[in-house]
Amino acid sequence: MITKHQTDAITTLETLAEGLEAQLHHEVRALLASWEKKKAEYSGEHYTYTVRGKDIRVANYEESLSHTKVPKIALPQFKDWGEIVRWCMQENVPGEFPFTAGVYPFKRTNEDPTRMFAGEGGPERTNRRFHYLSKGMPAARLSTAFDSVTLYGEDPDHRPDIYGKIGNSGVSIATLDDAKKLYSGFDLCSPTTSVSMTINGPAPMLLAFFMNAAIDQECEKVIRERGLVENVEEKIDAIYAAKGLSRPIYRHGDGSTELPDGNNGLGLLLLGVTGDQVLPADVYAECRKRALQSVRGTVQADILKEDQAQNTCIFSTEFALRLMGDVQKYFIDEGVRNFYSVSISGYHIAEAGANPITQLAFTLANGFTYVEYYLSRGMDINDFAPNLSFFFSNGVDPEYSVIGRVARKIWAKAIKQMYGGNERSQMLKYHIQTSGRSLHAQEIDFNDIRTSLQALYAIYDNCNSLHTNAYDEAITTPTEESVRRAVAIQLIINRELGLAKNENPLQGSFIIEELTDLVEEAVYTEFRRIAERGGVLGAMENMYQRNKIQEESLYYETLKHTGEYPIIGVNTFLSSKGSPTVIPQEVIRSTTDEKEQQINNVRSVQDRNASTTTEALAELRQKAIHNQNIFAALMEAAKVCSLGQMTHALYEVGGQYRRNM
Amino acid sequence: MESPAPYAPQNKVRIVTAASLFDGHDAAINVMRRIIQATGCEVIHLGHNRSVMDVVECAIQEDAQAIAMTSYQGGHVEYLTYMRNLLVERGASHIKIFAGGGGTILPSEIETLHANGITRVYSPDDGRSMGLQGMINDLVEKSDFVTPLNYANGLAQSVQEKDPMAIAQAISCAERGDSQRIAFTVNGKRSPVLGITGTGGAGKSSLTDEIVRRFLLDHPDKTIAVVSVDPSKRKTGGALLGDRIRMNAVSDPRVYMRSFATREANVAINPHVRDAINILSYAGFDLIIVETAGIGQSDSQITDVADVSMYVMTPEYGAATQLEKIDMIDYADVIALNKFDKRGALDALRDVRKQYQRSRQLFTSKIDDMPVYGTIASQFNDPGTNTLYRALNDLLTHRCNLSWSSNFEITDEMSEKIFIIPPERTRYLAEIVENNRRYDAFVEKQSELARALWRVQGAIEQLTTSKQQ
């Protein structure tokens, strides 16, 4: 029987419930209403979602050898609405705000996030290496390392302090011809090609070389489609005959002109000229447009971390930032949507000695600085935020287990609520590389173990792409054998390791949640410190970031020295021989032929374009002085000028970097 | 391992430190230069990415005994051998080269380099067996000598020919108290001298660099010498001569630069700066800039040697009354208010002008006519620095009766900064923290509400269930 008391109680409670429900935000109400439906979506056989208007159907389970159905996304078993609300708003499934567990609902299955890293000698040698690495792979993800001459924006030269560095620790690229050879045989406008360029100070010039190489590839395709090859060859011959010069060619240091296996020659037809010299203006304009809108890749171009940690600044910081803004503006104006204009990098900050919290805080702070700068130039957040990408280092410290989670969460919350960015803008995408500093020159075999653990952190944390270092990198240039082992680390985790079949293995762990909160709080504390110093640029003026990185580096070195921070085979657990430092027998260096060829090539480009470079450089300087888009001018100058010529022209109007102590 | 005691040099040892060309790895050289300084040397630090020419010219102009380099980016054999050859070619074979590059320099290459005349390349094994101080002791001991004088045409004529080594060594003679050898420079014609002083961190050397750059552009046929003075450490006798690292314009062949350590406590000027001015005048430089560290009371010593003197400060001096304590406002001909993009810059400009006016009783002149200029040396082609440069140029021309003609236009425009981050937005990081914390608080609140609602709904459910039973 029901008493009146009970009826009264129910009425009172219902009033109370109504009042509470009224206080719930409508989105929170919707979230609670759809919770069971969401769970159901992940528990059926398949999950269906939409990307750019296309339905994608993914299996929700992977079966193990024991026939266990391992869910790709495991959801919490919460009943308490308070827990459900908090989880959905602070964690959520991968692919949904605040993207703590990942920016996409599922991992791509057709493409391993393995980059093909190369850079040695002249463009021909690196091109051969790229083709070797990408042979038989469904996608070409070319990561380019440049030699230090290129990294500082200069041309190869016989001057001995330059000469010894040509083509060492990276490829020498000084002209558009070099860029064409470097990427020849890869369709730069294909959706399965992406190119990453590790360059900062002179990034705009190298990007201009790359873009022009892509444009001329599109021109070449049109020329071939329309059967104009002979006609174009005649035109080029005529241009060179008029100058009394011979046409540039693809040629290895040893004199062979043979194309490597897999290189079909695309990009070499127009070596020595640009498409606009041999095609009607309207056809060239179409090719140009098509190329710019389809190229995929990343240029590092992060000048803030250069000044804070890595020192490859060449221009005054303000001018360098302006150049970055011009590149981004150009991307927006020309519809360059699939190319990241900057890779906001914590890697070098960590390599210089920063701990993971400082790495994360400085990097995110730098990222927000670019956001503020681009906004102040009148760009729309949704026009540029999707062009930003991040790059972190991954060590063995506990904080590295949540670095991606914290980064995604902080970024999404700020971009959504403070800057009003859309979902695409809220998604922080990052590449991560295992820490070079954590590799040791003693017991180098142990390095692969460290790299494996770091790779595990990264994969569990849903990084968007990963580079695993070779174990011998601490002492020399990696060999084919050591690189293969490094790639195997990723493949074994992705293909063999059972738990990695699940795509949110960190969610729901008490320690992961607590670490996430602790690291997030620590990042905010650092943000406040930087804010007190007038923001990132204000802090840089007083060398705040540099000093903090140095202090943290010293702290690590001290603990390593005293043994308080144990490193197996380095300061403890030494072998019976004392784990001596391994010294390499020889190091791969560029050959004299390659160096001479690079010098000859850059000189011949300068000579054959002597009449046009003066004008192009004058135009470049004028655009800079009158606050017009410098990158647009660089796109033109790069057709005829060498890297060093452009760098020096910009020094006159933008100022050289002034070193600090 | 026990660290050995620092070696005590018998002579004043001057060492140039730098990292190789196209090489940004400066962590090691920064550690080394500190130890070298603590071992009682005067260190002229050039920082990273330095060409052989930069380093060699610096070592000669500074009359250094040695160069200490790091190279981690490859090409070290060519780099260091070229450095040695260039020193020999310039008649400076007495300048020793020391280097290190960890594991990037192979043992066989170390042998080659030693055979090529590099005094010592330290390997990681040396580091382990000698320790840092041990390596530096070795380096300093090998550099502990008086640089030899050796001129075909005699010191006087070589100085007159602006031979940088002759000038450098003449100045060193003065510093050693060997006044007889430089007697020929006394009572000669004196070049105009611009004195620059200011507080530490005000951007003195950047501003000096910008003035030198404009001078070179404005007067394509004229030469300039820069003398810069930094304090010595009383405890060790060492000094960090850090102005050169900021100076991009000094690599021009029309520039000679010499860094001084005060070598005495509580002075802003090395007593031998006067000798240096005589020597540089004898060499015929068209302009001599003397830059001194601001250490407070003794700043105004600069006015004793300068024809025109400038004081560099920033808007961050605190309350306006602080200005009354600054001696140099009373003595300087011109004041540069650098870092003019800082908050409160316009108020500072007014206050400093007022103080300048008050200290000279110039009450009949307009306050805007006081020679106080807002500058942003870090901004390329800063209009404020242009105005300042022109004012200095005109004042020197007038005071020293020169026939200089300047092509630099005077513009009335203020030095207006092209902001990367607009001043009203500099709190962006704090705002992000506030924004994200606001979201977190919102989530907690909603979570609590949802939990309460869940409990109430549960209670209703319980009551309803029992009702039905």
Side-chain angles (χ1 to χ4, degrees):
Chain A
M1 273 311 288
I2 184 163
T3 67
K4 180 161 185 309
H5 278 114
Q6 272 173 309
T7 323
D8 286 353
I10 292 172
T11 317
T12 312
L13 286 171
E14 274 170 351
T15 317
L16 190 58
E18 257 173 53
L20 286 167
E21 201 163 352
Q23 289 181 65
L24 274 188
H25 192 266
H26 64 91
E27 281 175 17
V28 178
R29 257 179 278 161
L31 171 166
L32 282 169
S34 63
W35 176 243
E36 288 304 324
K37 186 169 157 270
K38 189 185 238 175
K39 281 176 75 170
E41 282 171 355
Y42 284 96
S43 57
E45 277 302 304
H46 291 95
Y47 184 96
T48 310
Y49 63 104
T50 319
V51 174
R52 291 192 193 179
K54 238 174 43 189
D55 271 357
I56 298 184
R57 218 163 85 105
V58 186
N60 271 326
Y61 298 94
E62 284 255 347
E63 203 178 276
S64 73
L65 285 177
S66 328
H67 307 292
T68 307
K69 285 168 80 181
V70 180
K72 281 206 185 126
I73 305 298
L75 293 193
Q77 302 297 323
F78 297 140
K79 297 289 179 212
D80 178 339
W81 294 357
E83 295 300 336
I84 294 170
V85 165
R86 186 194 285 124
W87 192 84
C88 288
M89 296 179 83
Q90 292 287 15
E91 283 279 335
N92 217 344
V93 293
E96 289 186 31
F97 181 85
F99 305 101
T100 305
V103 289
Y104 297 117
F106 291 96
K107 288 187 184 182
R108 286 183 183 199
T109 48
N110 56 349
E111 192 184 312
D112 282 311
T114 307
R115 292 197 182 184
M116 294 130 196
F117 203 84
E120 49 187 341
E124 288 90 348
R125 171 134 67 113
T126 302
N127 177 255
R128 184 162 60 196
R129 179 99 185 135
F130 275 144
H131 280 287
Y132 168 80
L133 290 171
S134 58
K135 204 169 138 192
M137 301 293 254
R141 306 189 66 185
L142 314 176
S143 244
T144 323
F146 297 96
D147 70 0
S148 60
V149 185
T150 311
L151 291 178
Y152 281 89
E154 295 290 340
D155 290 336
D157 194 272
H158 279 127
R159 226 178 73 196
D161 49 351
I162 296 178
Y163 192 76
K165 295 183 165 94
I166 304 170
N168 281 323
S169 328
V171 60
S172 159
I173 299 294
T175 63
L176 175 57
D177 280 354
D178 286 345
K180 286 180 178 179
K181 292 181 212 166
L182 177 65
Y183 300 119
S184 65
F186 293 102
D187 184 349
L188 296 177
C189 299
S190 151
T192 59
T193 307
S194 82
V195 170
S196 127
M197 292 184 278
T198 306
I199 189 126
N200 294 281
M205 288 82 100
L206 268 294
L207 192 59
F209 285 148
F210 169 82
M211 291 292 179
N212 273 299
I215 293 167
D216 284 345
Q217 277 196 358
E218 279 307 289
C219 293
E220 180 175 334
K221 283 190 231 162
V222 167
I223 291 164
R224 292 191 189 280
E225 274 160 27
R226 300 188 186 174
L228 297 171
V229 176
E230 254 177 70
N231 169 287
V232 165
E233 293 271 16
E234 275 168 28
K235 279 186 189 166
I236 303 174
D237 283 337
I239 291 170
Y240 276 83
K243 292 183 180 175
L245 299 167
S246 52
R247 286 170 59 176
I249 50 165
Y250 181 104
R251 175 188 175 279
H252 288 282
D254 61 10
S256 113
T257 55
E258 204 178 319
L259 294 181
D261 209 12
N263 186 343
N264 62 3
L266 176 64
L268 296 175
L269 177 66
L270 297 183
L271 208 55
V273 292
T274 45
D276 49 356
Q277 288 178 277
V278 295
L279 284 175
D282 57 329
V283 179
Y284 179 75
E286 276 169 36
C287 292
R288 181 177 170 280
K289 192 172 163 196
R290 200 161 52 241
L292 291 177
Q293 293 181 357
S294 31
V295 283
R296 290 161 57 95
T298 312
V299 59
Q300 195 163 82
D302 173 14
I303 212 67
L304 291 175
K305 70 96 178 39
E306 287 302 325
D307 201 2
Q308 295 159 10
Q310 191 172 250
N311 286 339
T312 65
C313 304
I314 58 171
F315 300 118
S316 66
T317 306
E318 281 186 355
F319 186 71
L321 281 165
R322 186 181 148 200
L323 280 169
M324 285 181 65
D326 284 352
V327 168
Q328 182 56 58
K329 184 75 177 54
Y330 183 90
F331 277 20
I332 295 171
D333 293 346
E334 302 287 338
V336 183
R337 273 171 57 89
N338 302 319
F339 208 97
Y340 294 111
S341 67
V342 58
S343 166
I344 304 156
S345 307
Y347 192 83
H348 319 85
I349 293 172
E351 284 295 290
N355 68 38
I357 289 171
T358 300
Q359 175 191 183
L360 182 56
F362 284 1
T363 310
L364 286 174
N366 290 348
F368 287 120
T369 306
Y370 294 127
V371 169
E372 286 284 342
Y373 172 49
Y374 295 170
L375 287 174
S376 82
R377 285 190 54 172
M379 295 181 234
D380 186 302
I381 182 85
N382 295 326
D383 284 340
F384 67 79
N387 284 123
L388 309 178
S389 67
F390 286 80
F391 173 26
F392 295 114
S393 167
N394 202 10
V396 289
D397 307 44
E399 294 84 353
Y400 282 120
S401 59
V402 296
I403 191 168
R405 288 165 52 81
V406 178
R408 285 186 291 256
K409 201 173 172 184
I410 293 177
W411 185 257
K413 290 195 271 195
I415 297 293
K416 181 176 181 179
Q417 260 119 15
M418 194 164 125
Y419 296 107
N422 63 23
E423 218 170 60
R424 230 181 131 220
S425 304
Q426 295 160 25
M427 290 155 57
L428 178 147
K429 284 161 284 178
Y430 70 96
H431 171 67
I432 195 159
Q433 181 173 340
T434 56
S435 157
R437 207 165 62 110
S438 74
L439 303 180
H440 298 280
Q442 292 158 265
E443 304 255 21
I444 61 173
D445 288 356
F446 293 1
N447 285 334
D448 271 339
I449 302 169
R450 297 186 178 99
T451 299
S452 303
L453 296 170
Q454 294 162 3
L456 195 63
Y457 269 171
I459 290 171
Y460 280 177
D461 200 9
N462 263 332
C463 63
N464 300 90
S465 101
L466 167 67
H467 178 85
T468 32
N469 288 328
Y471 69 94
D472 52 358
E473 262 174 61
I475 58 160
T476 184
T477 312
T479 60
E480 264 171 38
E481 174 261 353
S482 66
V483 169
R484 193 173 147 74
R485 276 171 67 170
V487 171
I489 291 173
Q490 293 195 38
L491 291 175
I492 289 169
I493 297 173
N494 282 327
R495 307 269 176 88
E496 295 184 24
L497 187 69
L499 187 55
K501 304 295 174 199
N502 168 267
E503 296 181 8
N504 65 340
L506 299 182
Q507 284 194 300
S509 150
F510 298 139
I511 178 61
I512 289 295
E513 284 178 359
E514 191 159 340
L515 269 177
T516 306
D517 290 346
L518 287 171
V519 174
E520 186 178 357
E521 183 55 45
V523 168
Y524 292 148
T525 305
E526 191 54 52
F527 274 15
R528 288 197 201 95
R529 286 194 201 111
I530 300 172
E532 274 168 30
R533 289 161 173 83
V536 166
L537 296 170
M540 274 161 69
E541 248 182 67
N542 300 323
M543 309 237 299
Y544 170 72
Q545 289 95 332
R546 254 169 201 270
N547 290 333
K548 190 155 177 23
I549 294 167
Q550 274 180 26
E551 268 168 42
E552 290 174 4
S553 173
L554 200 66
Y555 181 64
Y556 165 82
E557 293 296 340
T558 309
L559 294 195
K560 178 179 154 187
H561 185 74
T562 61
E564 268 178 271
Y565 182 85
I567 304 172
I568 309 305
V570 174
N571 63 9
T572 183
F573 193 64
L574 301 186
S575 72
S576 55
K577 290 179 196 131
S579 301
T581 302
V582 182
I583 293 166
Q585 286 315 301
E586 57 175 333
V587 177
I588 304 165
R589 301 257 160 89
S590 56
T591 66
T592 306
D593 281 341
E594 284 174 323
K595 289 176 186 161
E596 289 297 326
Q597 187 175 324
Q598 282 309 99
I599 295 170
N600 286 339
N601 285 349
V602 74
R603 296 227 168 122
S604 61
V605 168
Q606 286 170 350
D607 289 347
R608 80 177 187 235
N609 296 327
S611 58
T612 37
T613 38
T614 319
E615 204 183 313
L617 293 172
E619 177 74 14
L620 182 60
R621 283 188 289 256
Q622 280 307 306
K623 287 241 164 99
I625 290 166
H626 296 294
N627 263 328
Q628 287 165 307
N629 193 311
I630 300 169
F631 186 66
L634 278 173
M635 281 293 289
E636 289 309 305
K639 292 176 180 174
V640 290
C641 303
S642 70
L643 173 60
Q645 287 176 323
M646 293 189 277
T647 302
H648 286 271
L650 290 179
Y651 282 157
E652 288 171 37
V653 289
Q656 256 178 292
Y657 178 68
R658 191 176 275 127
R659 295 169 189 81
N660 263 313
M661 191 149 55
Chain B
M1 185 177 55
E2 275 298 293
S3 184
Y7 170 81
Q10 304 301 304
N11 300 285
K12 273 295 167 192
V13 178
R14 292 164 67 84
I15 293 178
V16 176
T17 56
S20 164
L21 187 64
F22 308 143
D23 187 349
H25 302 85
D26 60 356
I29 195 69
N30 274 324
V31 172
M32 299 299 169
R33 69 160 166 84
R34 288 197 179 100
I35 305 175
I36 296 174
Q37 189 196 339
T39 309
C41 300
E42 294 175 0
V43 174
I44 301 111
H45 183 56
L46 292 179
H48 65 276
N49 183 26
R50 285 298 185 173
S51 71
V52 167
M53 196 65 92
D54 274 355
V55 178
V56 164
E57 282 181 348
C58 166
I60 291 174
Q61 291 183 8
E62 297 286 357
D63 193 29
Q65 281 94 338
I67 296 166
M69 296 291 311
T70 57
S71 169
Y72 286 91
Q73 200 60 294
H76 35 262
V77 175
E78 291 89 340
Y79 185 96
L80 294 169
T81 307
Y82 177 42
M83 181 174 277
R84 184 69 212 155
N85 294 343
L86 204 58
L87 283 171
V88 173
E89 191 186 306
R90 300 279 171 101
S93 54
H94 61 276
I95 300 180
K96 296 185 172 173
I97 303 172
F98 299 88
T104 66
I105 306 182
L106 302 178
S108 59
E109 293 173 327
I110 293 181
E111 281 172 36
T112 311
L113 285 167
H114 287 167
N116 291 353
I118 310 307
T119 302
R120 181 85 190 251
V121 179
Y122 298 99
S123 72
D125 280 339
D126 293 333
R128 265 188 297 275
S129 62
M130 304 166 86
L132 288 176
Q133 185 66 55
M135 283 196 285
I136 299 305
N137 282 353
D138 179 58
L139 184 157
V140 176
E141 196 175 343
K142 289 191 166 94
S143 310
D144 190 6
F145 59 89
V146 177
T147 51
L149 290 175
N150 182 17
Y151 296 100
N153 303 326
L155 193 56
Q157 193 177 334
S158 298
V159 167
Q160 205 159 33
E161 288 165 0
K162 285 200 182 71
D163 175 341
M165 194 158 67
I167 298 169
Q169 297 197 336
I171 294 175
S172 295
C173 287
E175 282 204 292
R176 280 196 295 270
D178 189 353
S179 50
Q180 218 174 339
R181 213 184 285 270
I182 51 160
F184 63 90
T185 63
V186 187
N187 300 327
K189 184 174 165 284
R190 202 163 161 276
S191 302
V193 175
L194 168 64
I196 301 178
T197 188
T199 46
K204 234 177 333 158
S205 29
S206 308
L207 202 57
T208 306
D209 186 38
E210 288 298 321
I211 290 166
V212 172
R213 200 176 67 78
R214 282 165 176 79
F215 181 87
L216 293 172
L217 276 174
D218 195 18
H219 304 288
D221 54 339
K222 292 202 172 15
T223 54
I224 185 166
V226 181
V227 171
S228 137
V229 189
D230 273 313
S232 297
K233 287 268 195 187
R234 249 205 294 180
K235 195 171 164 194
T236 60
L240 175 60
L241 309 180
D243 291 308
R244 202 159 184 135
I245 192 175
R246 308 282 294 158
M247 306 278 286
N248 286 333
V250 295
S251 57
D252 191 289
R254 289 187 281 137
V255 183
Y256 172 89
M257 178 166 179
R258 170 73 175 222
S259 311
F260 277 87
T262 52
R263 295 189 181 175
E264 264 177 60
N266 295 321
V267 294
I269 288 225
N270 177 304
H272 301 295
V273 163
R274 282 169 204 280
D275 297 324
I277 291 172
N278 287 339
I279 294 163
L280 293 165
S281 297
Y282 188 84
F285 282 96
D286 295 295
L287 174 65
I288 300 169
I289 294 183
V290 178
E291 185 197 330
T292 67
I295 54 163
Q297 306 306 320
S298 52
D299 288 356
S300 47
Q301 291 175 354
I302 189 93
T303 54
D304 302 342
V305 297
D307 296 300
V308 170
S309 62
M310 174 169 86
Y311 182 64
V312 185
M313 59 186 293
T314 72
E316 294 172 317
Y317 50 78
T321 47
Q322 293 298 323
L323 295 174
E324 294 172 33
K325 302 179 189 167
I326 302 175
D327 228 8
M328 271 307 285
I329 296 184
D330 302 346
Y331 288 104
D333 297 300
V334 171
I335 294 172
L337 202 55
N338 196 30
K339 304 199 177 175
F340 203 58
D341 49 334
K342 291 281 178 219
R343 222 182 341 196
L346 287 172
D347 292 343
L349 183 66
R350 189 201 54 222
D351 291 347
V352 175
R353 280 180 172 163
K354 262 194 200 158
Q355 183 61 30
Y356 189 97
Q357 187 183 41
R358 242 193 324 264
S359 78
R360 287 166 178 78
Q361 307 281 314
L362 295 169
F363 297 115
T364 50
S365 313
K366 276 196 289 184
I367 186 161
D368 287 349
D369 291 343
M370 296 302 117
V372 181
Y373 302 92
T375 61
I376 308 172
S378 64
Q379 185 175 310
F380 191 74
N381 208 18
D382 165 50
T385 310
N386 286 342
T387 313
L388 170 72
Y389 164 75
R390 183 60 200 261
L392 291 171
N393 189 83
D394 292 355
L395 200 53
L396 280 162
T397 311
H398 171 74
R399 236 181 238 174
C400 305
N401 283 321
L402 307 167
S403 54
W404 293 358
S405 64
S406 174
N407 296 316
F408 254 78
E409 285 174 36
I410 311 172
T411 48
D412 273 344
E413 61 184 322
M414 283 290 259
S415 171
E416 209 167 307
K417 169 106 168 166
I418 305 157
F419 288 105
I420 295 294
I421 305 292
E424 70 275 14
R425 291 290 321 142
T426 51
R427 280 196 75 253
Y428 59 106
L429 288 172
E431 285 176 26
I432 287 167
V433 176
E434 287 154 19
N435 170 81
N436 289 9
R437 281 310 184 209
R438 204 159 37 237
Y439 175 81
D440 296 341
F442 169 75
V443 171
E444 281 314 303
K445 190 147 173 265
Q446 290 290 312
S447 167
E448 281 310 317
L449 283 168
R451 173 169 297 118
L453 180 61
W454 177 63
R455 290 197 195 117
V456 173
Q457 297 284 22
I460 294 173
E461 220 170 274
Q462 288 297 321
L463 286 169
T464 318
T465 321
S466 71
K467 193 167 65 178
Q468 283 158 353
Q469 274 167 354

